[in-house]
Amino acid sequence: MRDHDISQRRACRLVGVDPKTVRRERPPDSADIRQEMQEIAGKRRRFGYRRIGVLLERKGMIMNHKKLYRIYREEGLSVKRRRGRKRARVTRTPMPVAAWPNARWSLDFVSDSFGASRKFRILAVIDDCTRECLCLVADTSLSGARVARELSSLIRIYGKPGCIVSDNGTEFTSRAILKWADENEVPWHYIDPGKPQQNAFVESFNGSLRDELLNEEIFDSLDDARRKLALWRYDYNTIRPHSSLANQTPQQARRTLEQFEGFAPGALAKDDQAEYRNPNCRLSL
């Protein structure tokens, strides 16, 4: 090859040698990136290559997305997709966008177990604009009165929401909730029965919660579940990149919106009350 300036393949053919016997295996490129990627994937097993790439960029490791995906596949980090049951396709109209924090909150329940199959429930409340998880309340029983107390606590922290969206569960249609909504002058929108896609924001959040925490952890007790939920909620709001927020965290998105002139926690909800108090205003899909 040196003397006659020919390719390795042609030289091997002339000498009668298999090219595989003379080729040396090169060490894998970007060893430091591979190691860091393995560490991230070990802690966050349900993260795909895009979110891992965002976390790498925060540490100064920036690369082309094609190279990132190649290394991700070579390291065997592909996430196995959990398939759900097939559903009939229907025509859906997108929900109106909540443009500001506190414009709309979404509520729902998630169930899991601890110990010897002891069931418990989790009340999840999110802000549809910033995707911020406002609370994760876990207990063996959550009544309508308990939900009302938790909402009152959230209002003291974040301000009054312009509207609340939920399904038609007994806790959300109880007298305690109806009384609370009337006293606090908060419009409450119920989605159509059997149409969880109308509450898409919290349903998407529930999927992430179950995929990244509930299906990954075993809870020894209710206190253990509450502790792990609190840690995951902090990570979700402050560290985990969110694709619908241009890979910002929910708290970063809230701070960005709060920098606009005239915005203050709770003020926006008061300004939007006139719109949501209109009985003809319905967040239907």
Side-chain angles (χ1 to χ4, degrees):
M1 289 172 60
R2 182 184 63 251
D3 297 340
H4 299 283
D5 190 23
I6 59 177
S7 66
Q8 184 188 70
R9 178 176 297 180
R10 185 178 181 188
C12 290
R13 186 168 62 251
L14 292 173
V15 181
V17 178
D18 192 329
K20 295 181 180 178
T21 62
V22 297
R23 291 174 181 167
R24 285 183 287 177
E25 298 233 356
R26 293 181 296 175
D29 58 333
S30 309
D32 53 341
I33 293 178
R34 293 174 184 267
Q35 181 179 357
E36 189 67 31
M37 188 179 290
Q38 287 281 2
E39 292 179 359
I40 295 174
K43 297 177 182 177
R44 304 174 182 272
R45 299 194 300 168
R46 301 302 300 176
F47 271 26
Y49 79 97
R50 291 185 179 88
R51 282 203 173 98
I52 290 178
V54 173
L55 297 180
L56 289 174
E57 288 180 2
R58 293 179 182 178
K59 297 185 178 182
M61 300 179 179
I62 302 174
M63 73 189 76
N64 182 275
H65 69 280
K66 296 180 182 178
K67 180 180 179 181
L68 174 67
Y69 181 69
R70 175 176 61 81
I71 295 176
Y72 176 80
R73 292 296 299 271
E74 290 176 354
E75 294 297 310
L77 302 177
S78 299
V79 178
K80 184 177 180 181
R81 182 174 298 178
R82 295 186 174 116
R83 300 285 183 179
R85 64 180 178 88
K86 292 185 178 179
R87 296 173 174 84
R89 295 184 177 180
V90 296
T91 303
R92 299 173 183 173
T93 304
M95 180 181 291
V97 177
W100 295 98
N102 286 351
R104 184 173 63 239
W105 292 358
S106 294
L107 281 66
D108 202 5
F109 284 106
V110 187
S111 300
D112 210 274
S113 61
F114 66 88
S117 300
R118 183 84 182 274
K119 296 289 185 179
F120 71 97
R121 306 182 74 194
I122 305 167
L123 171 65
V125 183
I126 67 165
D127 188 306
D128 289 357
C129 174
T130 63
R131 310 299 198 273
E132 184 176 5
C133 176
L134 305 182
C135 77
L136 288 174
V137 181
D139 212 330
T140 54
S141 178
L142 291 169
S143 64
R146 175 70 180 279
V147 173
R149 290 199 302 270
E150 296 297 337
L151 290 175
S152 297
S153 300
L154 293 177
I155 286 178
R156 288 193 292 270
I157 298 173
Y158 298 100
K160 187 184 297 185
C163 182
I164 292 179
V165 182
S166 75
D167 58 23
N168 296 270
T170 55
E171 298 85 2
F172 299 140
T173 57
S174 63
R175 292 183 179 180
I177 288 296
L178 296 176
K179 180 181 178 182
W180 179 89
D182 183 63
E183 291 178 349
N184 290 273
E185 298 182 348
V186 176
W188 198 293
H189 173 74
Y190 296 99
I191 64 175
D192 295 332
K195 298 289 185 180
Q197 64 270 21
Q198 294 183 3
N199 205 8
F201 292 102
V202 74
E203 291 291 343
S204 175
F205 171 82
N206 291 345
S208 299
L209 173 62
R210 186 166 297 281
D211 190 43
E212 297 175 15
L213 178 67
L214 302 184
N215 288 345
E216 297 291 318
E217 297 285 347
I218 297 177
F219 305 115
D220 299 326
S221 63
L222 184 60
D223 289 337
D224 180 49
R226 288 170 174 169
R227 180 180 63 83
K228 290 178 179 178
L229 283 167
L231 292 174
W232 186 86
R233 175 176 171 263
Y234 174 81
D235 180 86
Y236 180 87
N237 286 336
T238 61
I239 300 175
R240 179 186 184 276
H242 205 298
S243 57
S244 65
L245 301 174
N247 288 324
Q248 294 186 96
T249 65
Q251 285 197 357
Q252 287 175 337
R254 176 178 285 272
R255 285 196 296 268
T256 300
L257 291 171
E258 287 177 350
Q259 292 176 357
F260 282 89
E261 184 179 359
F263 179 79
L268 184 69
K270 295 178 181 178
D271 294 339
D272 290 346
Q273 288 301 313
E275 177 185 354
Y276 288 107
R277 283 178 192 154
N278 185 351
N280 297 322
C281 177
R282 178 178 172 82
L283 297 176
S284 58
L285 295 184

